[in-house]
Amino acid sequence: MKKVGIHRIVRPVSLATVMVGFIGSSAVAQTMASDDLKDSKKSEVETKGKNADPSTSDEHILVRGKRTSNILTHDTGVDQMPQDVMHTPQNINVVPQKILQEQNVKSLEEALKNVPGVTASVGEGRGGMSGNQFLIRGFPAQNDIYEDGLRDFGVYTRDSFDYDSVVVIKGPSSSVFGNGTTGGAINVVTKKPLLTDRYDVNFSGGNVDYYRGTVDVNKQITDTIAARIVGVGNSNNVVGRDYIYSHHWGLAPSIGFGLGTKLSYVIQYVYQQDNRIPDYGIPVVTKPGTSIAKPITEYGIRRSNWYGNWMDSDKTQDHQLTGRLKYELTPDIVIHNDTRYGNYQREYSVTRPQCQVANCVTPYFTGHPENAIIGTAGPAPYRQRTWSFQNVLSTVANFHTWGFKHQLTGGVDFSYASENRFYGEYSSPLPTNSLVNPTPVINYPITILPGDPHGTNISGATGAGDPALRKGHTRDVGVFLYDQFWMTEQWSIKGGVRYDNWNAKYGTEGGSAGSVWAANNMSTTNNIVNPTVSLMYNPTDNQMYYFTWAMSTTPLGMYLTNSYAPMRDGQSGMKPERSRLYELGGKWSLLSQRVGITAALFRLDKSNQIVSDPVSGDVMSSGDTVRNEGVELGVSGNVTKHWNVYGGFAAYHSNVESSQTVGAKGSRVQYVPTQQGNLWTTYDIMPETPYNVTVGGGITWRGSVWLNNTNTAKAPANVSIDAMLSHKFDEHWKVAFNIYNLTNRLNYDSLFGNRVTPSSGRAFLFSLNMLQ
């Protein structure tokens, strides 16, 4: 069933009306665009506002079918970015619902493998944190994960069961999101209530005991009220890795009021509970006689070797409650108010493998591998309790002044996050392990003892020097205002600024006698201004060229919830990290807008670089200035009616411009590959017949990367080939078969300064889907 969309051309309003809209409201938007909206019973009202002339008051009806696979037609899912991807002057990657379904994507990390320039990190700071830790264009983005434009402060591995799409906005975006976003921002667009009745049930099973079930039920209650509930249950091991598993489930109910009217409100709740074994991978070592360290699996160690023990555990419970209000004050003024409360709980214990030269490297490479011993000292186990609150009030207004067309966006963003981390200690030292034949078994009783914040060390056991208690909070108040105005019908300028008042406090209690951690209380306050400006040229509706300059700031304490030690005593006066982007790009919709092509040239400079020491975990300023520049290309859409293509390519040249570290200047920036790309394609054979088959496949690759800025440790290149086959019995039933890493190549997905994590080996997944 095709849906009817009314595209309204924006009308001019007075500047006074715009100001009334800013002062007199509080509201927020529900993003109704969903790739699986084909059975919607209601018309979707959209403000065109792309490249339209607001001086006309004509309206027209446009009949269209299911949303195209061309990602340029997609929204960003962020209220403060009202234009679609085509007309937003930044390089933006979208992983749409179609790709998530075809690849049977099960996590945020799997979804982001489709985005060149995004890599996964084991977790900064002694490996004391895990969950989803990503790098964008080589720069940390662990604090730059958003859902529907609101920051997700949690530290956990995110399941994709309630995802409609995943959007990666490349380059500094502090003018929109606030502090952070050096390399970019990851925004998840979630599933929301629709004015229709439908249900979608999926079961998947595969090798290494992989079992997964999802359910998605949507119910229209009245003409303007609908409810939706999405759930998942998942249990799996990991192909090619011993002892690693995850058992998790999640639930995401939501209800929408006033859908399709001028005033709507959507309430969403997401809960995810996870019990998994953390995988801190294998050590990176320097073979005698060589100068470059590599993963020890490159020298004959089995990829399956896991160097943890049965004390290792990562248990999380994560709650998010969101309210999204949207109010169409006039056809040209839309007001949004988004509010989110988050509560995150975590119990964490992990072993960090260390291969020292004397008792590990030397015996292994000199003919005595049976004597090679892995050290297992790790960060102290802890319980983490975090809660957060954020409210964003914004207004988007279209109007004329002195004959110029404007689209003005402004608002206020308030956020607060509180963190308490209670550290314990093992009752006895952890045993060492064999490098060649490791075992998770501990042959003597061992327990986790609680720390005493009033004592001189943690429980008096091994005295690792960690504090018994870490606590802190961050508070940010941001005000933003930016305007796009059209000098002519084709030429426009978009510019604006965001001001943030940032405050972070952090304290520790307890710790070993004489430790720098004993009873420290630190704080920092920064007043930060982040501007942005873009010049855009739209010769037609189907092409756009732009140049963008933007800045971002990362102050000390930014990684409060997802860093081992976001502050150290004496660092309170450390300058924030600053980044500058210069980007020149173009976007084209071809073949009646079925196919989208993007190209971008960029330079990204970062000064006062914040880094984490791989051993101590200290977060500090390196004083380095680094640069990454390159080209990024993308293609998406239907080449023919039955042939779909989705892919991207990035080529980077990175350089450490200046550094206080000897040997770092002139080196490549850590974690930045020279090349990275992906290609996924599907073809429908004999569609609409009982013999229909969809075949597809793709490849992802990433060049080798340096693991430090002195370029003395390297992770090899990755190449993974995937394939899929599906068949529809009728419009309600479908079966699919997916193969991942078809060649069983040894790849490394998660990177850290002194170790890497082997990715999954060859995996098979069969799925049965029922849609009504």
Side-chain angles (χ1 to χ4, degrees):
M1 175 178 177
K2 294 184 178 180
K3 69 175 183 177
V4 178
I6 302 175
H7 285 248
R8 182 172 49 250
I9 307 296
V10 294
R11 301 184 181 91
V13 297
S14 69
L15 185 59
T17 305
V18 174
M19 298 310 297
V20 169
F22 268 97
I23 296 172
S25 56
S26 70
V28 119
Q30 170 205 8
T31 305
M32 289 296 294
S34 173
D35 287 294
D36 55 6
L37 204 55
K38 61 181 179 180
D39 294 321
S40 176
K41 295 181 179 179
K42 284 290 180 180
S43 299
E44 180 181 328
V45 180
E46 299 176 341
T47 302
K48 188 172 183 181
K50 315 289 190 208
N51 193 34
D53 183 0
S55 63
T56 177
S57 59
D58 293 338
E59 294 185 349
H60 63 276
I61 302 296
L62 174 65
V63 179
R64 64 181 185 183
K66 188 177 179 181
R67 176 191 283 179
T68 173
S69 297
N70 175 5
I71 67 171
L72 296 181
T73 65
H74 288 241
D75 298 321
T76 63
V78 181
D79 295 334
Q80 303 95 290
M81 303 177 73
Q83 306 253 16
D84 61 11
V85 173
M86 176 74 182
H87 297 88
T88 301
Q90 282 181 263
N91 192 21
I92 298 175
N93 297 95
V94 179
V95 186
Q97 180 68 202
K98 178 179 175 60
I99 299 297
L100 298 179
Q101 291 179 350
E102 290 177 346
Q103 297 180 358
N104 204 346
V105 166
K106 301 165 288 298
S107 67
L108 178 58
E109 183 173 345
E110 289 185 11
L112 291 174
K113 289 180 180 179
N114 292 286
V115 181
V118 177
T119 54
S121 169
V122 165
E124 296 294 337
R126 294 181 70 183
M129 308 304 292
S130 188
N132 291 136
Q133 309 275 326
F134 297 108
L135 306 161
I136 303 177
R137 289 177 172 173
F139 299 119
Q142 67 262 38
N143 210 47
D144 300 322
I145 300 176
Y146 298 80
E147 287 193 2
D148 301 313
L150 295 174
R151 195 185 299 269
D152 185 347
F153 289 89
V155 182
Y156 60 103
T157 302
R158 294 161 175 84
D159 192 285
S160 59
F161 73 101
D162 65 332
Y163 290 4
D164 187 73
S165 61
V166 177
V167 181
V168 179
I169 302 164
K170 300 282 188 66
S173 302
S174 287
S175 61
V176 175
F177 296 103
N179 296 320
T181 67
T182 299
I186 300 166
N187 183 52
V188 172
V189 180
T190 61
K191 296 178 178 178
K192 303 175 183 67
L194 310 171
L195 290 173
T196 185
D197 291 341
R198 55 161 294 170
Y199 61 83
D200 188 347
V201 180
N202 184 280
F203 173 78
S204 299
N207 54 337
V208 295
D209 296 326
Y210 206 119
Y211 304 101
R212 178 182 177 86
T214 62
V215 60
D216 181 358
V217 178
N218 192 94
K219 177 66 178 177
Q220 180 176 351
I221 300 173
T222 70
D223 288 343
T224 61
I225 300 175
R228 189 171 187 172
I229 185 167
V230 188
V232 65
N234 190 105
S235 177
N236 69 276
N237 300 333
V238 177
V239 178
R241 297 293 290 155
D242 292 341
Y243 308 111
I244 303 300
Y245 66 77
S246 171
H247 306 309
H248 63 268
W249 66 277
L251 203 62
S254 58
I255 186 168
F257 303 93
L259 303 181
T261 69
K262 292 184 177 181
L263 177 62
S264 65
Y265 191 70
V266 176
I267 302 173
Q268 297 174 271
Y269 171 70
V270 179
Y271 174 77
Q272 183 177 319
Q273 178 176 306
D274 197 352
N275 179 11
R276 68 176 56 234
I277 296 294
D279 189 359
Y280 271 49
I282 49 92
V284 174
V285 303
T286 304
K287 181 181 179 181
T290 67
S291 58
I292 304 300
K294 296 181 181 179
I296 201 164
T297 43
E298 297 296 304
Y299 300 111
I301 291 296
R302 296 191 304 269
R303 70 192 294 173
S304 61
N305 279 11
W306 180 65
Y307 297 104
N309 59 68
W310 292 126
M311 299 291 293
D312 290 1
S313 176
D314 186 4
K315 298 179 180 179
T316 58
Q317 294 188 53
D318 305 285
H319 310 256
Q320 286 188 163
L321 179 63
T322 305
R324 302 176 60 82
L325 182 66
K326 175 183 177 181
Y327 178 43
E328 187 179 335
L329 182 64
T330 73
D332 304 295
I333 302 176
V334 180
I335 304 163
H336 309 271
N337 195 85
D338 297 347
T339 306
R340 172 172 295 158
Y341 169 78
N343 187 288
Y344 313 95
Q345 302 177 31
R346 192 182 199 203
E347 296 183 6
Y348 197 68
S349 175
V350 70
T351 302
R352 186 180 70 249
Q354 299 181 65
C355 188
Q356 305 296 338
V357 174
N359 56 4
C360 181
V361 175
T362 299
Y364 182 73
F365 287 105
T366 57
H368 301 284
E370 71 279 2
N371 296 329
I373 300 300
I374 281 282
T376 55
Y382 63 84
R383 292 183 296 112
Q384 184 179 10
R385 301 291 183 266
T386 303
W387 70 270
S388 63
F389 175 83
Q390 185 177 12
N391 189 87
V392 181
L393 168 65
S394 62
T395 301
V396 179
N398 298 279
F399 61 97
H400 274 93
T401 57
W402 302 291
F404 291 104
K405 177 177 64 172
H406 293 260
Q407 186 174 72
L408 188 69
T409 304
V412 179
D413 182 353
F414 173 83
S415 66
Y416 181 91
S418 176
E419 156 96 344
N420 284 278
R421 215 176 300 173
F422 306 91
Y423 280 79
E425 187 59 87
Y426 299 109
S427 59
S428 300
L430 294 175
T432 58
N433 217 334
S434 167
L435 173 66
V436 179
N437 296 302
T439 175
V441 177
I442 299 176
N443 293 318
Y444 53 86
I446 185 171
T447 59
I448 296 177
L449 304 175
D452 179 8
H454 304 293
T456 57
N457 56 25
I458 297 181
S459 72
T462 60
D466 290 314
L469 172 64
R470 298 177 190 265
K471 57 182 179 180
H473 73 256
T474 61
R475 186 267 302 148
D476 185 26
V477 179
V479 180
F480 54 90
L481 182 68
Y482 35 93
D483 179 31
Q484 180 176 358
F485 72 95
W486 282 257
M487 299 172 290
T488 68
E489 194 62 31
Q490 291 78 33
W491 289 92
S492 64
I493 294 177
K494 185 175 184 178
V497 66
R498 173 167 171 146
Y499 164 80
D500 286 270
N501 178 262
W502 169 265
N503 175 262
K505 292 185 178 180
Y506 185 67
T508 61
E509 298 181 31
S512 297
S515 167
V516 295
W517 294 116
N520 281 330
N521 291 285
M522 297 145 276
S523 65
T524 181
T525 300
N526 298 104
N527 294 299
I528 300 167
V529 176
N530 287 301
T532 183
V533 63
S534 301
L535 175 64
M536 289 170 282
Y537 175 56
N538 291 83
T540 69
D541 282 339
N542 297 326
Q543 56 181 316
M544 196 268 274
Y545 307 89
Y546 66 91
F547 175 78
T548 293
W549 176 84
M551 292 184 64
S552 71
T553 305
T554 304
L556 186 66
M558 184 73 192
Y559 303 121
L560 174 73
T561 63
N562 48 20
S563 174
Y564 174 77
M567 288 188 189
R568 283 289 301 272
D569 195 24
Q571 288 185 322
S572 297
M574 190 180 79
K575 294 181 179 179
E577 181 182 83
R578 299 284 280 180
S579 302
R580 293 171 176 82
L581 171 73
Y582 308 86
E583 183 169 305
L584 178 67
K587 304 180 183 184
W588 303 268
S589 280
L590 309 175
L591 302 178
S592 300
Q593 297 192 7
R594 295 198 316 269
V595 175
I597 296 176
T598 63
L601 291 168
F602 76 93
R603 170 177 289 180
L604 182 57
D605 294 321
K606 181 167 71 170
S607 59
N608 301 321
Q609 185 181 26
I610 295 175
V611 297
S612 297
D613 186 276
V615 178
S616 69
D618 298 348
V619 174
M620 54 191 175
S621 173
S622 67
D624 291 1
T625 298
V626 299
R627 169 176 292 173
N628 187 24
E629 56 190 3
V631 58
E632 293 175 335
L633 308 173
V635 61
S636 62
N638 295 93
V639 180
T640 68
K641 183 178 180 180
H642 304 300
W643 178 23
N644 187 78
V645 175
Y646 177 89
F649 173 78
Y652 298 132
H653 177 267
S654 62
N655 189 58
V656 178
E657 299 289 298
S658 65
S659 177
Q660 299 176 9
T661 303
V662 177
K665 184 177 179 180
S667 300
R668 269 175 49 191
V669 179
Q670 66 183 132
Y671 306 133
V672 180
T674 55
Q675 294 182 352
Q676 188 173 1
N678 68 283
L679 179 65
W680 178 262
T681 183
T682 58
Y683 191 83
D684 298 327
I685 301 174
M686 292 185 288
E688 312 300 332
T689 73
Y691 310 102
N692 70 88
V693 174
T694 298
V695 295
I699 182 172
T700 59
W701 73 94
R702 187 209 67 220
S704 61
V705 296
W706 294 104
L707 302 176
N708 54 36
N709 276 354
T710 55
N711 291 179
T712 59
K714 177 183 284 189
N718 277 3
V719 179
S720 180
I721 299 175
D722 304 330
M724 64 84 66
L725 181 71
S726 69
H727 168 71
K728 293 181 180 179
F729 292 101
D730 53 34
E731 62 180 356
H732 303 298
W733 291 90
K734 183 178 78 171
V735 294
F737 181 70
N738 290 80
I739 305 178
Y740 308 95
N741 194 7
L742 183 63
T743 63
N744 201 34
R745 179 185 169 94
L746 174 57
N747 292 319
Y748 304 96
D749 281 338
S750 295
L751 311 174
F752 194 61
N754 55 5
R755 61 191 180 280
V756 296
T757 301
S759 59
S760 174
R762 185 187 298 113
F764 306 91
L765 204 62
F766 172 83
S767 62
L768 175 65
N769 181 255
M770 179 178 63
L771 175 66
Q772 181 65 48

